[in-house]
Amino acid sequence: MTRSRLSLLSAVALLAAVAPLATGGAPAAASPAPPASPAAPSAPAVLTVTDPGFEQGGSGWEFTSGTGVASNYPHAGSRLAYLDAGSGMKVSQTVTATGHGGYLVSAWIATGGPGGRYVLRINGATVAERTLPAAATYRRHTLGRIALAPGDRLEIAFESGQGWVNVDDVMVSPAAPVDPRVTSSDPEIVEMFDWAKGKANSWVHLPGTEGPLDADERQTGGTGTGVYAPSYWAGYANRSGYYSRDMAHQLAGAGVLGLHAENREMLRSFAASATAEHAYYPVWALNFDNRSYLSIDYRSPSLFVREVPAPFELVQKAEEAYRWSGDAAYLDDPALWEFYRHATDEFVTLHDGQKDNGDVSVAEGTGRGIFRGVASYNEQSDEPLAEAGDAIGSQYQAYRAMASLARDKGEHELAARFERKARDLKTYFNATWSGTGSGADMVRGYTTDGRALTGWGKENSWFMPMKQIVAPGARREAYLDYIDAQAEGEGRPDNIEALTYLPDTFLTNNRPDTAWKWMRHIYAQKDVQHVNSRQGTNGDYPEVSFTLVGQTVQGLMGVTPNAPARTLATQSRLPSGMEWLSIEDLRVGDSAFTLRHDTDRRSTLTHTSGSAPYTWEARFPGAHSAVAVDGVVRPGRTQVIDGATYTVVRARVTPGRTVTVEVR
């Protein structure tokens, strides 16, 4: 009916054989009660698809002859829609918009041959379509952005081709509030960014949508349904929730797309779960209702997945989200503020007792598996780590973020205390914890029996320079060389989402050519099957698209926003051969900008809209004797940031004004 018996049985056997790769192995468990101070329920969605996973037998859908609902090869749940091979068959649903909005529509589709079509029509007119390739494994296809007005009738249609077509899990996403546009002398970065922003947007949930809770590879239909709150997918696409680690890494890309409500509500949900009962760990994953804990990773208050870097990363990323959005809730919301305080104080004290670190405290893992608390994000390691490079690096950045947030809140003594804690931790790390080794001899962790570990540790290796806890100089440069070599060698991670950290590592340390190499590699692997077959292709892992968006803007273009202070710092990190790169509709707070870098010697900023002037800090690598601001030459001024010397120019850019800065 929908595919040959042989290929069907092979696919089912393959799906059954694949074990969960991250945080898996947990038996199904009932979701716990909502965390303290849950987010308010979302308003009803303005565009609702009936039975998007065909679990109610296709209610709301129209089926021609040669089509129907089956149970032989679902993407998730227990049912799917099918179209037999041949011409003239269609499965469709028409929904009516109840308000104005922009949307993307996605569906998981597998095909036994080419020629099928996926089509969107508004009031009978085709507005988006895709001819489907032959691909027997499910892939996620997205159409949009489309604009709808109240009363518009949107038809979502799947049409037959030369082979069978299977369809499952249709999803409507709201168009992201920001639609940044990249142009460049290099067409590859334009293609990459266009793909990444659309794919990232397709993972955003339409608040008010009803969907499954606690869905995973063992209970594919979930344990019930709930109303989804502002959120986006961050983790495996076959699980109905988002993960702290993934969300932290995706936050910058979400900020570029203006997903500030989603970032805030997801961060707040993690913050609310970091209770004394949980020893101030946030839970590892939440359902998309932003209230209940994803059951595959949570068994009880004393038995849930937890990894030491996560709470620290969430503090750092909350500060970053505050700088992108200017949202005062990051300072004023009690749930968020108490989380920062606990994560950088009581959490460290509670989880520091195995290794003597002198005058500083270092949060530790138990070395007894992810459900008991591990020190590192490297879940594939069997090392019984007490302290790990990714945890101590993340702790350092959390201290810095806490100082920054406290300063803006007016708590200057608290800010000064955490500035000292950050400084002392970095000094200790470079003098004692990791010692003087470089390359393969750099210490990147300690076991529960006190042994120092060197060599390649994946996350607990590359996080150290990425989090800037390694002091600048020859030692750090040698370690970056070592990371690059190991990531290309036999120790290379199998999962694409681990590789997504490498561009950040090298961009943070001003190695744009190496970073661009890894960005290109990740993008080139987007259509390759993910190592977890249930996940789809590498490009269907949400972290891939979100991180490429962030790495283009924060990385290659060096954008450092500070909406509360109305400042914007930029630094060109264009790789060799990329002559220029420009972005339009770059949003920081309530302002929009166009930014262009011409190599690393000239930058132009236009403040296209906003309510007040911004101070632009344009940074250029190296010491230059003179700079020109809109053609007026003046002496260059230098500044050293994390060991690198920059020529820095500050200019006031009012709404409507364009400023060009060039080093001479």
Side-chain angles (χ1 to χ4, degrees), residues 78-383:
S78 60
R79 297 183 181 182
L80 67 141
Y82 72 88
L83 298 87
D84 286 336
S87 60
M89 287 164 274
K90 184 169 79 168
V91 174
S92 63
Q93 182 174 154
T94 299
V95 295
T96 301
T98 60
H100 289 278
Y103 302 94
L104 296 85
V105 185
S106 304
W108 289 89
I109 304 173
T111 61
R117 291 206 316 154
Y118 171 29
V119 187
L120 299 182
R121 299 180 178 93
I122 298 177
N123 301 328
T126 299
V127 293
E129 61 182 326
R130 174 167 300 169
T131 299
L132 301 170
T137 303
Y138 276 103
R139 297 183 179 182
R140 193 167 185 267
H141 296 269
T142 300
L143 296 178
R145 306 166 55 118
I146 60 169
L148 294 175
D152 279 346
R153 292 173 56 78
L154 171 67
E155 181 191 16
I156 304 168
F158 305 94
E159 300 173 354
S160 57
Q162 298 175 34
W164 51 263
V165 176
N166 287 353
V167 179
D168 205 354
D169 297 325
V170 177
M171 175 177 167
V172 175
S173 298
V178 181
D179 185 22
R181 296 171 295 282
V182 160
T183 52
S184 176
S185 59
D186 186 339
E188 186 172 7
I189 185 62
V190 178
E191 176 188 304
M192 181 188 298
F193 187 82
D194 285 348
W195 172 84
K197 73 171 182 179
K199 177 64 82 170
N201 192 170
S202 76
W203 294 113
V204 180
H205 285 290
L206 184 63
T209 299
E210 186 171 318
L213 301 177
D214 293 324
D216 57 55
E217 50 270 30
R218 299 189 177 191
Q219 42 194 28
T220 59
T223 58
T225 61
V227 177
Y228 287 179
S231 58
Y232 49 80
W233 231 290
Y236 282 152
N238 62 310
R239 297 182 183 177
S240 61
Y242 53 87
Y243 283 74
S244 55
R245 171 181 174 166
D246 296 71
M247 188 263 171
H249 201 202
Q250 294 175 209
L251 182 140
V256 172
L257 297 176
L259 300 173
H260 302 315
E262 288 78 4
N263 279 343
R264 183 188 64 245
E265 295 307 312
M266 293 163 75
L267 284 167
R268 192 184 188 284
S269 297
F270 283 120
S273 75
T275 60
E277 184 181 39
H278 290 153
Y280 296 114
Y281 267 109
V283 298
W284 190 233
L286 287 112
N287 281 294
F288 294 121
D289 62 357
N290 289 5
R291 295 163 56 89
S292 56
Y293 309 151
L294 197 64
S295 64
I296 192 172
D297 299 291
Y298 190 96
R299 300 174 185 176
S300 74
S302 61
L303 193 63
F304 63 98
V305 176
R306 48 204 188 273
E307 303 183 6
V308 174
F312 297 133
E313 281 218 286
L314 293 174
V315 175
Q316 178 192 357
K317 294 301 177 175
E319 194 268 344
E320 189 175 317
Y322 170 58
R323 301 298 168 194
W324 271 109
S325 65
D327 187 347
Y330 287 103
L331 303 180
D332 299 336
D333 187 312
L336 288 168
W337 187 254
E338 289 306 306
F339 169 66
Y340 313 150
R341 293 293 304 269
H342 292 313
T344 54
D345 209 331
E346 289 96 336
F347 175 82
V348 179
T349 302
L350 279 171
H351 302 284
D352 176 28
Q354 299 180 73
K355 182 179 181 295
D356 183 5
N357 298 293
D359 294 333
V360 301
S361 296
V362 178
E364 299 168 340
T366 65
R368 294 188 289 124
I370 57 176
F371 276 86
R372 297 291 183 182
V374 292
S376 175
Y377 279 153
N378 185 2
E379 296 175 348
Q380 297 178 358
S381 171
D382 59 0
E383 299 167 333

Side-chain angles (χ1 to χ4, degrees), residues 2-3 8 11-12 14-15 53-55 70-83 107-112 133-141 158 164-170 199 237-238 526-530 532-540:
T2 61
R3 54 186 304 164
L8 169 61
V12 170
L14 177 63
L15 288 171
F54 302 97
E55 298 302 302
S71 59
N72 60 336
Y73 182 47
H75 169 258
S78 60
R79 297 183 181 182
L80 67 141
Y82 72 88
L83 298 87
W108 289 89
I109 304 173
T111 61
T137 303
Y138 276 103
R139 297 183 179 182
R140 193 167 185 267
H141 296 269
F158 305 94
W164 51 263
V165 176
N166 287 353
V167 179
D168 205 354
D169 297 325
V170 177
K199 177 64 82 170
N238 62 310
K526 68 180 175 62
D527 294 324
V528 175
Q529 181 65 41
H530 191 273
N532 179 351
S533 66
R534 295 182 180 89
Q535 169 57 43
T537 64
N538 285 330
D540 285 331

